[in-house]
């Protein structure tokens, strides 16, 4: 396969700069270094084989697409319209889903355990493969899923620290213990990220607040009455109030994580899992982003994501 080493090289080896802290890099220069330092290595041979496999699949898909008739396209479009209508009828924006994502987790743990590493570009892994890198290293194009020997070419003063999964699990459990108080049924996605549903917690918090502000003060109910058993106050929460409470609670969770671990976490808040995941990437590191629970906002963001994905596929 013909490849121009002076520009991009194999597409499977090109820098993916979507990670936080990697914006504005000289991709052409970085891709050239990656290509030149990889030639003749098993990594290069694997990526070359992988690229050929992808190209073959793309060619097969294009061949199938070229044989589809207009009648078949119209029939498929009608089926999809019916499916979309059915899915739209089931749309549920009544949940407050949160995606918690620890910032450069493995590297952050290593820097916390060894303060001498702070302020220096470091990566976790080996010369064969890196698991992650800190934000200082990302400025040079060093990132996860990159061989360490390439990372050294991009950043000669890079420090590579071996993985210590026992330690990462310990810190991960500390984070999960905090989250469990808000959602016992949280869903871990990896050691450094998880999903949680704050919907019931918000309802309970809202009812407790209503009991204190309305039932105890205005309706003169006994001060020792249990808010959970009170029939006077409601658990119904308006969309605006739910979104507001969700944002405040997530901020509280992130503060507890920092107090407990001295590590930062970013978060996304949205009515569903996919949008929460999108949101957690928006204000990294050490930030949070909320996608409001309205059809207009969710549709616009979902549509924008689809457009971005389509553009990448075309590239």
């Amino acid at each position: 396969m013909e490849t121009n080493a002076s520009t991009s090289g194999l597409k499977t080896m090109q820098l993916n700069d979507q990670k936080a802290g990697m914006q504005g890099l000289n991709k052409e220069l970085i891709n050239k270094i990656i290509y030149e330092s990889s030639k003749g290595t098993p990594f290069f041979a694997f990526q070359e084989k992988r690229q050929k496999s992808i190209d073959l699949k793309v060619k097969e898909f294009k061949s199938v697409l070229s044989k589809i008739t207009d009648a078949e396209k119209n029939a498929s479009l009608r089926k999809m319209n019916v499916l979309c209508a059915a899915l739209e009828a089931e749309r549920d924006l009544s949940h407050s889903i949160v995606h918690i994502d620890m910032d450069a987790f493995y590297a952050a743990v290593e820097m916390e355990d060894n303060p001498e590493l702070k302020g220096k570009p470091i990566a976790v892994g080996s010369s064969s493969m890196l698991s992650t890198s800190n934000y200082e290293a990302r400025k040079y194009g060093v990132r996860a899923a990159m061989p360490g020997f390439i990372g050294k070419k991009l950043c000669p003063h890079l420090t590579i620290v071996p993985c210590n999964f026992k330690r990462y699990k310990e810190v991960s459990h500390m984070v999960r213990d905090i989250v469990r108080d808000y959602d016992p049924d949280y869903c871990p996605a990896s050691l450094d990220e998880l999903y949680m549903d704050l919907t019931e917690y918000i309802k309970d918090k809202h009812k407790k607040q209503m009991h204190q502000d309305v039932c105890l003060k205005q309706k003169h109910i006994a001060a020792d009455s249990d808010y959970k058993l009170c029939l006077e106050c409601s658990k119904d929460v308006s969309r605006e109030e739910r979104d507001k409470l969700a944002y405040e609670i997530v901020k509280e969770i992130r503060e507890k994580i920092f107090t407990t671990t001295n590590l930062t976490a970013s978060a996304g808040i949205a009515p569903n899992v996919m949008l929460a995941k999108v949101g957690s990437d928006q204000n990294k590191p050490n930030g949070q982003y909320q996608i409001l629970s309205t059809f207009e906002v969710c549709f616009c963001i979902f549509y924008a994501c689809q457009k971005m994905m389509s553009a990448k596929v075309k590239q």
Side-chain angles (χ1 to χ4, degrees):
M1 182 174 63
E2 293 294 323
T3 308
N4 185 351
S6 65
T7 53
S8 60
L10 295 168
K11 289 183 179 179
T12 56
M13 291 199 305
Q14 290 181 14
L15 178 71
N16 179 354
D17 61 352
Q18 298 305 305
K19 274 276 189 183
M22 302 189 74
Q23 291 70 40
L25 300 181
N26 187 338
K27 291 183 66 173
E28 184 175 355
L29 175 61
I30 291 172
N31 285 332
K32 180 180 178 180
I33 294 173
I34 291 173
Y35 180 82
E36 293 291 345
S37 60
S38 301
K39 284 192 298 186
T41 68
F43 173 73
F44 185 91
F46 170 77
Q47 293 298 336
E48 195 170 35
K49 182 179 179 181
R50 182 179 169 215
Q51 183 67 63
K52 289 179 179 178
S53 176
I54 292 172
D55 290 343
L56 180 60
K57 288 180 180 179
V58 170
K59 185 177 179 180
E60 290 173 351
F61 284 139
K62 286 183 176 179
S63 176
V64 172
L65 285 171
S66 68
K67 297 174 184 177
I68 297 176
T69 65
D70 288 340
E72 289 173 325
K73 290 179 183 178
N74 291 332
S76 295
L77 183 59
R78 287 193 293 271
K79 288 181 181 179
M80 288 305 301
N81 286 335
V82 172
L83 178 60
C84 286
L87 290 173
E88 182 59 44
E90 298 176 0
R91 185 188 296 275
D92 183 4
L93 300 179
S94 65
H95 287 263
S96 294
I97 307 298
V98 181
H99 180 243
I100 300 286
D101 192 0
M102 301 298 293
D103 300 320
F105 183 54
Y106 296 173
V109 172
E110 295 294 345
M111 289 187 292
E112 181 60 26
D113 289 350
N114 182 4
E116 291 184 1
L117 296 174
K118 292 184 178 181
K120 300 177 181 179
I122 75 161
V124 177
S126 66
S127 61
S128 299
M129 190 58 62
L130 301 178
S131 296
T132 191
S133 60
N134 67 356
Y135 290 95
E136 284 78 7
R138 293 179 191 184
K139 296 174 184 177
Y140 296 88
V142 180
R143 59 159 295 156
M146 170 183 285
F149 69 85
I150 294 179
K152 279 284 193 179
K153 287 288 186 179
L154 293 169
C155 178
H157 54 295
L158 177 71
T159 299
I160 299 179
V161 182
C163 293
N164 183 356
F165 285 105
K166 180 180 178 181
R167 178 59 177 151
Y168 307 149
K169 288 179 181 178
E170 290 175 356
V171 181
S172 180
H173 285 307
M174 294 166 68
V175 174
R176 294 178 185 184
D177 286 342
I178 294 170
V179 168
R180 191 176 289 110
D181 291 337
Y182 296 84
D183 177 14
D185 299 318
Y186 72 92
C187 179
S190 62
L191 289 178
D192 64 335
E193 60 180 317
L194 57 84
Y195 294 91
M196 58 189 299
D197 188 345
L198 285 178
T199 310
E200 292 305 315
Y201 184 88
I202 289 173
K203 288 180 180 179
D204 186 70
K205 185 180 179 70
H206 175 74
K207 180 175 175 63
K208 184 176 182 179
Q209 194 64 52
M210 288 291 291
H211 187 70
Q212 293 175 344
D213 295 345
V214 179
C215 298
L216 300 185
K217 293 181 180 179
Q218 299 178 22
K219 298 185 178 181
H220 307 294
I221 292 176
D224 61 349
S225 66
D226 188 345
Y227 76 95
K228 294 181 179 179
L229 302 177
C230 180
L231 301 178
E232 297 293 323
C233 53
S234 171
K235 290 180 67 174
D236 292 337
V237 190
S238 68
R239 194 275 304 168
E240 293 82 4
E241 182 68 12
R242 178 162 52 81
D243 282 346
K244 179 182 176 182
L245 286 172
Y247 191 88
E248 293 172 353
I249 293 167
V250 170
K251 187 176 180 182
E252 176 183 293
I253 293 171
R254 290 178 47 247
E255 288 173 350
K256 286 185 178 181
I257 290 174
F258 181 75
T259 300
T260 303
T261 67
N262 209 30
L263 304 179
T264 63
S266 297
I269 313 157
N272 61 46
V273 169
M274 190 200 79
L275 292 179
K277 172 70 172 176
V278 171
S280 65
D281 245 2
Q282 300 308 303
N283 282 331
K284 266 188 163 291
N286 195 25
Q288 62 186 63
Y289 185 86
Q290 184 173 37
I291 298 172
L292 299 178
S293 305
T294 66
F295 170 78
E296 292 78 13
V297 171
C298 291
F299 178 80
C300 288
I301 293 177
F302 180 78
Y303 180 74
C305 291
Q306 290 292 94
K307 293 284 284 184
M308 289 173 61
M309 290 173 65
S310 297
K312 287 183 179 181
V313 170
K314 290 179 180 178
Q315 291 175 356

